[in-house]
Amino acid sequence: MKATPRVSRPVSWPRLLLHILLILIVVCFMGVFLLLPLATVFVEALRSGVHAFMQAIAQREALSSMRLTLFVAAIAVPLNLIFGVAAAWAMTRFEFRGKALLGTFIDLPFSVSPVISGLLYVLLFGAQGWFGPWLDQHGVRIIFAVPSLVLVTIFITLPFVARELIPLMQAQGSDEEEAARVLGASAWQMFFRVTLPNIRWALLYGVLLCKARAMGEFGAVSVVSGHIRGLTTTMPREVEMRYNEYDYVGAFAVASLLALLALLTLAVKTLLEWRYGDQIAQHTPAGH
Amino acid sequence: MQRRRVLPGFGLSLGYVVTYLGLIVLLPLAALAWKASGVGLHQLLQLLSSPRTLAALRLSFGGALVAAVFNAVIGLLVAWVMTRYRFPGRRLLDAFIDLPFALPTAVAGIALTAIYAPNGWLGQWLVPLGIQIAYTPLGVMMAMVFVGFPFVVRTLQPVLEAMDRDVEEAAASLGATRLQTFMRVILPMLMPALLTGFALALARAVGEYGSVIFIAGNIPMHSEIAPLLIVEKLEQVDYAGAAALGVVMLCFSFVLLIVIARLQRWSGRWAERSA
């Protein structure tokens, strides 16, 4: 029997009109709801010209917020990368009791509101929190200081790499790794020569999403950061502060940098999906 | 275990994972449970039954529900058009579906406000028509639609792509109209994924903060969301009040998390059976 081509099936006129109508609805919806906000960011940032834009992003506060954002991401992302690989290894290569529960806890930060994540850490380290009095006595500041920004960012982005790797490593199975071991490879040889090459694109994909989220986090960071400008202000917080001070060009200028980052993330992500789609697991989207 | 394990690193990886999770996730959760248990049930209910708190909870949950329903409908349409029809610019548009995931929420928030504020891009045309979006519950829902949009589309797309067209053709050849085929054959097959996407969008919208607070205007009793109330309570150093609200929202997240896990298992079985 010959396979029937699907796309070129003759379509009746009313059906074709319906198709066009549906496509138009989708294009209009996405245009107004997704692309218009994106365009707004760039247009508003350049409203007073390129010079004003450059001035706005070269201000000391802007530069220090960029440094802080990069610093926080530079700690949180590698830690969650190592965690993700370890979690995927334990979850997909071994059977143990409580595995499902462990999976639930790995996913948990995705379903917690960013504000609640911040609240959790305030209750842990804040003045009236669990460790608050002890920390105070020893002169250690966590809340309203950089360590809390790092901690909440780690919490928020914890599942990204693990979620990317677990379905993929599950699907790949452990035959190649077992073969490597039987042939005499040491544990680390097996990991670096067999496991890592097999998961590299999914790993990159997970790190990409993790990094994007780490640099853009707002809710959790605003709860724990206090309002110490220049010290605990990350880029999204700098956007908020400028906006609340009616410095719209300044706010949108910093926002446009974050939007550029988002576009770059989307581009690399799409590229990875097109080129290495088979080496990136099919999965449902993440929560917060 | 009978067989000796060939693969190394069980103790190391599991130990590391459990310790890390314990420190980063469980310890803070325990702190919340401790704080909330110190409050006591009676006082907890009292904290939660103030009119302002109730209004904020109603807006957060009600608004999120409306936004998730809207996203389920438009998401189904977008997923359908993206998988079934071919048109110029489709792949580019498809890549932009994930924009709300990639764009920091504060950026989305100020952009939406610039569009729908009374002197904004669209606001200046809509407000004279009597449609006020910014600084109203409608604006809150608009932001919730934005952040929840990708969930339904991205959970439906793989299911739609994998769906066997034979069933549709069988339905058609047995005399079903297009609408009947859609309602009785296609929609039931999509239902598990659709509900999963709906629940994910709902969970996201309930807890959303960054993109909402700018467009909401945060008028107490009118357009103030529950997460913002938590932030305000923390700023007034009212830890007990913040913890009480936090517990309510966290419980809701847990319930949704369990529901989502069930739904995903259901859709997994569904996919196996139809494969």
Side-chain angles (χ1 to χ4, degrees):
Chain A
M1 201 172 76
K2 258 176 71 179
T4 45
R6 274 173 179 170
V7 186
S8 58
R9 206 165 24 176
V11 182
S12 64
W13 269 107
R15 186 82 71 77
L16 190 66
L17 275 177
L18 180 71
H19 287 193
I20 292 172
L21 182 71
L22 292 182
I23 291 171
L24 273 179
I25 293 175
V26 166
V27 171
C28 289
F29 173 81
M30 288 185 62
V32 172
F33 268 73
L34 298 183
L35 300 181
L36 187 62
L38 187 67
T40 306
V41 174
F42 294 109
V43 172
E44 293 286 327
L46 295 169
R47 170 152 289 200
S48 309
V50 179
H51 185 67
F53 171 82
M54 294 306 283
Q55 234 171 7
I57 57 171
Q59 275 170 17
R60 206 161 47 89
E61 291 92 353
L63 293 175
S64 79
S65 76
M66 289 174 213
R67 259 197 306 275
L68 183 61
T69 291
L70 288 173
F71 175 77
V72 170
I75 299 177
V77 174
L79 281 176
N80 282 337
L81 164 71
I82 297 170
F83 168 77
V85 173
W89 183 255
M91 293 278 289
T92 61
R93 295 297 180 256
F94 305 100
E95 290 304 324
F96 53 91
R97 280 176 62 187
K99 196 168 166 176
L101 189 69
L102 190 67
T104 308
F105 277 116
I106 293 173
D107 275 350
L108 189 84
F110 272 160
S111 45
V112 175
S113 162
V115 168
I116 309 279
S117 322
L119 170 72
L120 294 178
Y121 279 89
V122 172
L123 293 179
L124 198 58
F125 297 118
Q128 297 173 29
W130 236 351
F131 299 126
W134 187 87
L135 289 169
D136 213 33
Q137 272 172 16
H138 292 76
V140 183
R141 275 190 89 88
I142 292 187
I143 295 297
F144 307 141
V146 176
S148 69
L149 303 182
V150 176
L151 282 170
V152 291
T153 306
I154 292 175
F155 179 92
I156 295 272
T157 59
L158 181 130
F160 279 103
V161 176
R163 270 187 78 112
E164 217 51 59
L165 292 183
I166 289 172
L168 178 77
M169 285 172 67
Q170 196 89 60
Q172 280 177 345
S174 59
D175 293 351
E176 291 181 29
E177 282 137 1
E178 278 166 20
R181 286 293 280 171
V182 169
L183 292 171
S186 76
W188 291 114
Q189 275 178 328
M190 174 213 71
F191 178 74
F192 283 109
R193 301 217 186 143
V194 180
T195 309
L196 209 53
N198 277 340
I199 60 170
R200 61 188 164 181
W201 297 115
L203 199 61
L204 187 61
Y205 192 84
V207 166
L208 187 74
L209 299 182
C210 184
K211 182 222 63 172
R213 185 61 206 267
M215 296 181 70
E217 179 48 34
F218 176 73
V221 163
S222 35
V223 172
V224 296
S225 72
H227 296 271
I228 312 161
R229 194 149 194 181
L231 264 178
T232 60
T233 315
T234 58
M235 285 173 80
R237 291 276 292 157
E238 181 70 20
V239 170
E240 184 205 19
M241 286 187 178
R242 290 178 174 209
Y243 189 85
N244 289 341
E245 289 159 3
Y246 304 104
D247 172 13
Y248 292 131
V249 169
F252 278 103
V254 178
S256 71
L257 297 181
L258 287 167
L260 273 181
L261 189 78
L263 282 179
L264 189 71
T265 306
L266 278 187
V268 177
K269 177 175 167 295
T270 308
L271 203 70
L272 282 174
E273 279 164 5
W274 286 356
R275 282 218 52 188
Y276 305 104
D278 52 329
Q279 294 172 55
I280 297 169
Q282 192 69 253
H283 55 88
T284 47
H288 271 283
Chain B
M1 202 159 279
Q2 298 294 320
R3 199 163 58 97
R4 255 199 76 200
R5 288 201 182 93
V6 187
L7 294 178
F10 176 64
L12 180 69
S13 62
L14 189 64
Y16 180 74
V17 165
V18 170
T19 313
Y20 193 89
L21 272 178
L23 289 176
I24 297 287
V25 178
L26 294 184
L27 190 65
L29 279 178
L32 178 68
W34 165 74
K35 195 78 201 174
S37 69
V39 174
L41 194 65
H42 180 69
Q43 209 190 340
L44 189 83
L45 289 175
Q46 212 167 25
L47 284 168
L48 291 175
S49 61
S50 88
R52 189 174 167 193
T53 309
L54 283 178
L57 284 171
R58 200 177 311 129
L59 179 59
S60 273
F61 288 103
L65 192 66
V66 173
V69 169
F70 182 83
N71 269 331
V73 175
I74 197 79
L76 176 61
L77 181 64
V78 172
W80 180 265
V81 167
M82 288 293 172
T83 46
R84 290 298 170 98
Y85 306 152
R86 296 290 171 265
F87 55 95
R90 185 184 62 92
R91 288 180 84 174
L92 189 68
L93 211 55
D94 188 78
F96 272 106
I97 289 173
D98 284 326
L99 182 73
F101 284 160
L103 198 66
T105 53
V107 178
I110 62 168
L112 288 172
T113 316
I115 293 172
Y116 295 108
N119 59 352
W121 291 26
L122 292 178
Q124 58 181 319
W125 308 107
L126 292 172
V127 172
L129 297 174
I131 308 169
Q132 170 102 33
I133 295 177
Y135 320 128
T136 69
L138 196 60
V140 173
M141 286 179 236
M142 197 73 111
M144 286 172 167
V145 167
F146 179 83
V147 294
F149 172 70
F151 290 102
V152 177
V153 185
R154 290 299 188 224
T155 39
L156 279 177
Q157 266 178 329
V159 183
L160 270 169
E161 266 158 24
M163 193 184 272
D164 208 337
R165 293 256 187 123
D166 293 354
V167 242
E168 284 167 58
E169 276 158 21
S173 69
L174 290 170
T177 64
R178 277 301 275 177
L179 191 67
Q180 280 176 326
T181 311
F182 183 78
M183 296 303 283
R184 302 229 185 128
V185 179
I186 299 172
L187 204 55
M189 283 164 77
L190 293 178
M191 212 29 112
L194 189 62
L195 285 174
T196 307
F198 167 80
L200 286 167
L202 181 67
R204 174 70 205 248
V206 166
E208 182 53 30
Y209 176 74
S211 53
V212 174
I213 54 159
F214 295 99
I215 198 171
N218 310 322
I219 306 153
M221 306 292 296
H222 178 61
S223 61
E224 188 180 52
I225 52 165
L228 182 78
L229 209 53
I230 295 180
V231 173
E232 280 178 7
K233 282 184 190 299
L234 280 175
E235 275 171 7
Q236 296 154 8
V237 209
D238 175 11
Y239 282 21
L245 259 177
V247 164
V248 172
M249 300 200 66
L250 205 57
C251 285
F252 181 76
S253 304
F254 283 146
V255 171
L256 262 187
L257 190 68
I258 294 166
V259 170
I260 290 166
R262 286 267 162 87
L263 282 171
Q264 277 172 340
R265 230 175 313 156
W266 179 31
S267 52
R269 274 209 306 273
W270 201 264
E272 267 168 39
R273 206 166 54 191
S274 54

